[in-house]
Amino acid sequence: MKKVEVTAADRRDRQEMLRLYEERGPQTERTLLAAGISLESQARNAPWVAEQVKLAEAA
């Protein structure tokens, strides 16, 4: 099993995606692109962000 390395850019994008969700609710691909988050980054990081949202809502 290959370990996926989370880059500094991924960490930044994850935090930005989470911040946008907390401020404005669910975001579209287009609004994330406008925020400077590439489609590739969205594909890599959206599952992590979704998990954080689920954990926060369960708490």
Side-chain angles (χ1 to χ4, degrees), residues 18 21-22 49-59:
L18 196 54
Y21 176 83
E22 290 168 348
V49 174
E51 185 64 24
Q52 300 311 302
V53 168
K54 274 196 248 178
L55 291 171
E57 289 176 351

Side-chain angles (χ1 to χ4, degrees), residues 2-57:
K2 183 180 176 188
K3 184 176 179 186
V4 177
E5 182 180 336
V6 179
T7 66
D10 283 336
R11 283 191 289 278
R12 182 192 66 234
D13 287 352
R14 287 176 175 190
Q15 291 306 312
E16 182 64 7
M17 291 167 75
L18 196 54
R19 184 187 70 76
L20 288 168
Y21 176 83
E22 290 168 348
E23 285 182 3
R24 306 178 196 166
Q27 300 295 296
T28 65
E29 188 176 273
R30 176 175 271 157
T31 58
L32 291 172
L33 279 171
I37 301 169
S38 71
L39 292 175
E40 294 81 9
S41 181
Q42 290 179 45
R44 277 193 313 276
N45 296 307
W48 181 89
V49 174
E51 185 64 24
Q52 300 311 302
V53 168
K54 274 196 248 178
L55 291 171
E57 289 176 351

